[in-house]
Amino acid sequence: SPQRQKSDLFRYGLPRVDPIDFHYSTTLRPERRPLKDLTLHYRSMPRKANSAWDLRPSPIGRQPAVNGGHYAESDLVPDRLQQNEGGFFTSSRHHSHYFSNTDLFGGGFNYLRYAKASELQLMETTHPHLLIQNLSFSHDLRSTTDCIMLRLPKYLHTIGDFSLELFGGDTLALMYTSELEMRTLLRVLTQHSPPPGNVSGRLSINGHRLRLTQMAARIAHVPIEDPSDVLTVEQHLRCSAAFKRPATESHKTGDMIEQLIRSLALAPFKNRMVKNLGKTEKQRLKIAMALLKDTDILIVDNLTRDMDIYDVAFLVDFLRDWALRLGRIVIVAIAPTTVEILTMFHKAAIFASGRLVYCGASNEMVDYFESIGYPCPPFKNPCDYYVDLVTCDHLTPDASAESLERIKNVADAWARRAGSFQPRPLPVATVSPMIRNATILGTVVAIFKQLLYVTRNYPSFVLLEPFVALMISILLGYAFYDMPVESRSAINDRFGLVECLLFLGTFILLMASVARCHFERRFLHSDLKTSNYSVCSYFITRQLFDTPLLLITTLCFSIPVGYLSSLYSRCLPLIGALTTITAYLFIHLSIWRLFAVAASHTLQKTSSAISFIGLFLLLCSCLSGVPITSLDQSETVVLVSLLSPSQWIGRLLLQQEFMPGRAVTNLLPFSSLHSNISETFFGCERRRLLAKKIKEASIFTLTECAKMPGSSLLFTHGIDPGFLLTNPTLTSAPELTIYLKIGAIVLTSWFIASFLASCASLKMNHRPKMRSKRSVYE
């Protein structure tokens, strides 16, 4: 009974394999038509009553049933050469009509007012010609640990016998049942973060057989990921063109950018940050970035995501005009859409369970499925129906088995038809040009330009670290303000100041560096994923870009505290003292900043990176011999402490303060300290006493204590006085000791190791969480 049939329909899920329409008698089923006469039969016979959609082209001379006609220009100006005289690609129609949707609600059935693809004039062309034959892919399911353990591959057959042939001017709507399968197919074709596995098949462009990587280098890809939100629209386009140069030099890049901004209706958002754009504007920006590559083939990933039908129609019509005018090929992965959108494409394909179940003209899709016994019910969207028809139903075991059998039958029916397909012989033409990657120098300049754009958009991106360094330096300077000169009572203060510089101030600055590294993920992740530049190119360029910033940060960190605390005031003039402390802290901050970059990109969370850096810096500071003297440490710990960079920087700072005669600065040319062989002595400070009988005069006395040289003070703290330089004489300059050579090797090793670790960690750069807490730079 009909009621029982309806209950079975809901029990097993939609759609059903049985093409019977319950509202009509079984005698109204369409006859099964042979595939070989499909096109002729379709054009000669009227539509069946059980399918309400007429996807056939309008008769010649007939205008679309729309008030005022349709928007499409491609059929009005088919001359490609004539259109290219004005520039790369312009379409004033798109810009003028996009912002006024009131005229979209005119009379007639086609409410979008866009012409069907079959109504447009398609020029006969033989190139570009894309041919994909029997493409298959098996995904390797092994993890990284399995590969390290040399375990055998575990393959999952994902794509099987995918065949496709497209010519210049064709636009293909690739509908799918599984987004994962569709994205795997696109990643294989474009080599955009390709999955591991085995690929087989024949790929050719214009008659030239190509490897997969060679074909991917000739394809412009619009990914699903949104562009980074730290640049404006125009800045994104200029950076994209700088990293991936257009395949040809027929047009100036600046003119192409301006024309695409106008044609894609991005002119009002030209100077707007990407984070303030809507989903539609971001999609148009991604398409503009791909069109700038000026390739013959364009692949768009999931065009309809989070977009309404009018925005989708606008982009489809724009890409269709671009393909027709310039003779390009466009493949758009699109979710099941409306009939009006479907007929705007020249061709349509349905991809299900790793196989094609249909690939042909968009206006012949319904007729083909009717010919194999699957007519579309009346008033049912054919796109939704036929995609549901080949979707696996996992609701119940019976439904799953039945849907798998149905998908196999439909796919086999198309395979039998496509198996007899033979590509027509075409003359071999010049292969399509490749996307040109920037040279090494061009990449460095482009990265500099991008960093300058980010700096201009986010001034706090640059000002945060110097500002934090200045505040820390002022606070430490007032905490140790005007320490007594040559007074034994200030010895502990000097050790405390050095420890604050090595740990407390450095740790706070590293927190700002970690925050900056996590901020950079907002553009670094997408750039590395799209291979705009290599890890080494970016890291080296970033270090060159950051060198002035690091120097300014070090100056802000060292000058106030050195001036306010009177550090090195007894042994050097003011300029020399500030220069010395700045040089030592510059080396210290350079090493630890590299270490912070490595930890920031290795660990996903900011709190984890800060905690790890803080614990490691605290350990190295404790081993420096300043808070815990070497006399209180075991011999093993003392030997391990020689590997700590804070150990050697701390010794340099203390040696310059307590033993200026044997300071490393004496090795500098034209040093005024070569003749200063006297050692600094620290004694007791004077106490001001007022005599009881003589009230009018103050009597100064000295406490009874002997003066102690700086070398003895260092020795009492477990530091060997002769660990860096030999004792110079009036006639001889100071000489290096084995300890100073070891210290130089240790610091150099730390710098190189941190540099390599930072480069390696960039490959582990994690995807940023755009919807998490706002960055400190905003």
Side-chain angles (χ1 to χ4, degrees), residues 421-432:
F421 167 76
Q422 293 294 332
R424 60 178 180 175
L426 297 173
V428 178
T430 304
V431 68
S432 300

Side-chain angles (χ1 to χ4, degrees), residues 123-143:
M123 297 180 60
E124 292 292 334
T125 181
T126 58
H127 64 277
H129 172 222
L130 172 64
L131 179 61
I132 303 175
Q133 290 181 301
N134 303 324
L135 177 67
S136 299
F137 174 73
S138 297
H139 191 185
D140 189 356
L141 301 179
R142 289 182 299 173
S143 62

Side-chain angles (χ1 to χ4, degrees), residues 222-354:
V222 180
I224 189 64
E225 296 86 3
D226 290 335
S228 59
D229 57 353
V230 298
L231 300 177
T232 64
V233 171
E234 184 179 10
Q235 291 171 356
H236 258 295
L237 294 176
R238 295 194 179 277
C239 289
S240 176
F243 291 124
K244 300 288 187 180
R245 302 173 60 190
T248 62
E249 296 182 351
S250 56
H251 304 283
K252 294 182 179 180
T253 303
D255 296 339
M256 295 170 64
I257 292 175
E258 292 298 329
Q259 292 177 7
L260 287 173
I261 287 177
R262 291 195 302 267
S263 300
L264 279 168
L266 291 172
F269 316 103
K270 181 178 180 179
N271 298 317
R272 184 176 296 184
M273 300 294 295
V274 173
K275 67 178 182 179
N276 297 326
L277 298 179
K279 184 64 181 180
T280 304
E281 288 77 21
K282 291 180 181 179
Q283 193 75 7
R284 298 205 301 271
L285 172 60
K286 291 190 295 183
I287 290 177
M289 294 168 62
L291 295 183
L292 272 177
K293 296 179 176 61
D294 198 19
T295 57
D296 288 341
I297 304 173
L298 175 68
I299 295 181
V300 185
D301 189 352
N302 205 343
L303 181 66
T304 60
R305 185 175 183 178
D306 300 330
M307 295 174 60
D308 59 45
I309 189 173
Y310 297 104
D311 296 328
V312 174
F314 167 78
L315 288 178
V316 171
D317 184 59
F318 178 86
L319 294 175
R320 183 175 63 178
D321 282 347
W322 178 78
L324 286 174
R325 292 190 184 188
L326 303 183
R328 309 298 171 85
I329 297 174
V330 178
I331 300 175
V332 179
I334 190 170
T337 182
T338 63
V339 177
E340 292 77 21
I341 299 296
L342 175 67
T343 54
M344 292 178 66
F345 290 93
H346 294 91
K347 295 183 179 180
I350 299 179
F351 185 62
S353 298

Side-chain angles (χ1 to χ4, degrees), residues 363-548:
N363 56 4
E364 296 178 359
M365 184 181 71
V366 174
D367 201 65
Y368 164 74
F369 280 102
E370 286 182 354
S371 67
I372 61 175
Y374 299 98
C376 181
F379 310 110
K380 178 73 175 180
N381 183 3
C383 298
D384 288 333
Y385 179 77
Y386 289 122
V387 171
D388 290 342
L389 181 72
V390 292
T391 301
C392 187
D393 188 355
H394 298 286
L395 185 62
T396 62
D398 294 339
S400 178
E402 186 271 336
S403 60
L404 290 175
E405 182 67 22
R406 179 176 70 251
I407 295 171
K408 182 179 182 300
N409 293 334
V410 175
D412 290 342
W414 176 254
R416 287 192 295 270
R417 178 183 179 183
S420 60
F421 167 76
Q422 293 294 332
R424 60 178 180 175
L426 297 173
V428 178
T430 304
V431 68
S432 300
M434 297 173 55
I435 301 174
R436 298 179 300 164
N437 294 322
T439 61
I440 296 178
L441 181 60
T443 302
V444 172
V445 173
I447 296 175
F448 259 101
K449 182 188 297 184
Q450 186 182 42
L451 293 176
L452 287 175
Y453 285 151
V454 175
T455 300
R456 187 175 65 179
N457 297 336
Y458 294 88
S460 55
F461 182 76
V462 172
L463 299 179
L464 179 63
E465 290 185 71
F467 177 77
V468 172
L470 182 62
M471 292 296 101
I472 296 173
S473 183
I474 293 175
L475 293 176
L476 291 178
Y478 275 105
F480 297 92
Y481 179 72
D482 198 14
M483 291 185 297
V485 178
E486 299 181 358
S487 175
R488 198 179 304 176
S489 60
I491 298 301
N492 292 331
D493 292 342
R494 300 180 192 281
F495 279 91
L497 177 59
V498 171
E499 178 63 20
C500 288
L501 293 175
L502 296 179
F503 173 71
L504 181 61
T506 303
F507 175 65
I508 298 177
L509 287 178
L510 293 182
M511 291 176 61
S513 298
V514 171
R516 178 185 173 186
C517 290
H518 281 260
F519 170 79
E520 289 177 350
R521 288 183 184 174
R522 297 167 67 173
F523 65 90
L524 181 60
H525 178 84
S526 58
D527 287 346
L528 293 178
K529 191 173 183 179
T530 55
S531 301
N532 284 343
Y533 42 75
S534 63
V535 169
C536 293
S537 299
Y538 170 77
F539 189 75
I540 294 175
T541 307
R542 182 184 182 273
Q543 296 309 308
L544 295 176
F545 182 84
D546 283 352
T547 299

